[in-house]
């Protein structure tokens, strides 16, 4: 896997209480998986689900796919025990719901450290409440273990008393604040889920909107959403062709001592070269992930 860029185009929630779903996830082309102990699991199934997802993560049966486990909130009867179990599971990350402050992140990190979690285990934060969004910059800068935001758009819409609309205008402010905080502190950021799994055109349109807003990928609720999401969030053939031209032209200009570079009539600056190099690195990382067993 290319270290500079890790593909997170499609990140699929899998219910922790459903062992068949966890088994099926081994064959799905999602870039990453979230084994869910929170919303997708009934209270009387929480402990069984915890055992299921820990066993699944420990199995190492998911190839190079990134594995995160969503715990229950620390204010619930299951949250602390979830984090203690996740710390020993071999998962790549713990996804924490409804994060609203740096202190909450510190509490999660403290539990992970006490349980012996490896230093490589990351914390991902669900940004899904008005208070969390208004404190997004505080959360984003809270701890080195925190590497990723997941926008929880369903809960945000509910708490805002807003509506789900095709253009998501009610969500633009929250999505933008989350994006700015994430990018200011070097975090990855994932768009929220799309609820209507039958609406293929609507789903693709929202994926495209998320791409244009700057999201690294999207969280998903059904396997049928994986392939279209992967397609939208991957660099296109035309983008890669142009990226290759930009990088090559810039290297040639540097070798010749030229300060001005043009490609297909466009002036090229350092920022364009950085964007081109990232697109090429992402394409390489996607190829490596897809080639993995």
């Amino acid at each position: 896997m290319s270290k500079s860029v890790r593909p997170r185009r499609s990140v699929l929630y899998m219910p922790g209480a459903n062992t068949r779903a966890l088994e099926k996830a081994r064959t799905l082309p999602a870039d990453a998986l979230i084994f869910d102990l929170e919303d997708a699991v009934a209270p009387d199934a929480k402990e069984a689900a915890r055992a299921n997802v820990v066993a699944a993560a420990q199995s190492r049966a998911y190839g190079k796919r990134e594995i995160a486990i969503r715990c229950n909130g620390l204010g619930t009867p299951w949250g602390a025990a979830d984090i203690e179990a996740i710390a020993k599971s071999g998962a790549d990350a713990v996804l924490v719901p409804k994060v609203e402050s740096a202190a909450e992140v510190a509490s999660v990190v403290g539990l992970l450290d006490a349980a012996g979690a490896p230093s490589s285990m990351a914390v991902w934060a669900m940004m899904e409440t008005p208070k969390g969004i208004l404190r997004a910059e505080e959360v984003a800068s809270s701890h080195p273990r925190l590497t990723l935001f997941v926008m929880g758009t369903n809960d945000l819409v509910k708490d805002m008393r807003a509506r789900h609309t095709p253009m998501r205008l009610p969500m633009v402010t929250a999505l933008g604040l989350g994006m700015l905080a994430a990018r200011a502190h070097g975090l990855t950021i994932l768009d929220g889920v799309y609820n209507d799994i039958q609406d293929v055109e609507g789903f693709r349109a929202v994926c495209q909107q998320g791409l244009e807003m700057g999201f690294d990928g999207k969280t998903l609720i059904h396997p049928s959403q994986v392939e279209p999401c992967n397609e939208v969030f991957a660099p296109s053939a035309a983008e890669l062709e142009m990226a290759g031209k930009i990088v090559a032209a810039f290297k040639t200009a540097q070798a010749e001592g030229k300060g001005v570079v043009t490609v297909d009539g466009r002036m090229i600056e350092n920022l364009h070269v950085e964007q081109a190099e990232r697109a090429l690195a992402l394409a390489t990382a996607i190829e490596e992930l897809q080639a993995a067993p």
Side-chain angles (χ1 to χ4, degrees):
M1 185 73 64
S2 297
K3 293 183 179 180
S4 58
V5 180
R6 184 161 195 168
R8 295 185 177 106
R9 299 166 298 167
S10 54
V11 183
L12 179 64
Y13 287 102
M14 304 302 293
N18 188 333
T19 54
R20 289 181 61 190
L22 295 175
E23 182 84 13
K24 181 179 180 181
R26 299 178 182 185
T27 64
L28 298 174
D31 287 347
L33 301 165
I34 298 171
F35 298 158
D36 192 14
L37 298 176
E38 195 211 14
D39 287 347
V41 180
D44 60 357
K46 295 286 189 184
E47 294 188 8
R50 183 191 302 142
N52 289 343
V53 302
V54 168
Q58 289 175 336
S59 73
R60 303 295 184 184
Y62 297 87
K64 290 189 176 182
R65 294 175 191 84
E66 196 169 17
I67 303 297
I69 300 175
R70 180 161 69 169
C71 65
N72 289 281
L74 289 183
T76 71
W78 312 282
D82 285 348
I83 293 171
E84 182 178 359
I86 293 166
K88 302 177 177 70
S89 70
D92 296 290
V94 54
L95 174 58
V96 185
K98 296 181 172 59
V99 176
E100 294 185 332
S101 69
E104 291 176 35
V105 176
S107 295
V108 171
V109 170
L111 290 170
L112 287 173
D113 289 343
S119 60
S120 59
M121 182 172 283
V123 175
W124 294 4
M126 293 287 304
M127 305 302 291
E128 53 185 339
T129 68
K131 186 180 290 185
I133 293 299
L134 291 173
R135 292 179 176 170
E137 200 275 337
E138 171 193 325
V139 174
S141 63
S142 60
H143 196 275
R145 274 199 195 262
L146 182 71
T147 62
L148 186 148
F149 274 178
V150 176
M151 299 303 294
T153 45
N154 281 341
D155 278 271
L156 274 168
V157 167
K158 173 184 69 70
D159 287 356
M160 291 166 58
R161 302 176 195 165
R163 299 289 186 272
H164 288 284
T165 64
M167 293 181 65
R168 299 199 294 178
L169 293 180
M171 296 301 302
V172 166
T173 297
L175 294 173
L177 288 171
M179 175 64 66
L180 288 169
R183 296 301 185 228
H185 294 281
L187 306 187
T188 297
I189 183 167
L190 302 175
D191 200 356
V193 301
Y194 190 78
N195 300 313
D196 187 351
I197 61 176
Q198 303 297 326
D199 182 9
V200 178
E201 290 185 8
F203 175 69
R204 287 188 69 93
V206 168
C207 286
Q208 184 65 35
Q209 182 197 45
L211 174 72
E212 292 171 2
M213 291 187 73
F215 286 98
D216 296 290
K218 191 168 182 65
T219 46
L220 311 175
I221 58 172
H222 194 272
S224 66
Q225 297 176 323
V226 171
E227 291 192 10
C229 189
N230 281 347
E231 182 181 340
V232 171
F233 279 96
S236 69
E239 288 170 335
L240 292 175
E241 181 181 4
M242 176 57 71
K245 287 182 179 180
I246 289 171
V247 171
F250 189 75
K251 287 181 179 177
T252 299
Q254 282 187 316
E256 296 175 354
K258 294 179 180 178
V260 177
V261 183
T262 61
V263 175
D264 293 351
R266 290 173 52 195
M267 292 288 295
I268 300 301
E269 301 178 27
N270 285 336
L271 66 93
H272 300 117
V273 178
E274 290 177 13
Q275 290 170 329
E277 289 176 338
R278 189 182 190 284
L280 293 169
L282 178 58
T284 298
I286 290 168
E287 288 180 4
E288 293 175 0
L289 182 61
Q290 292 174 337

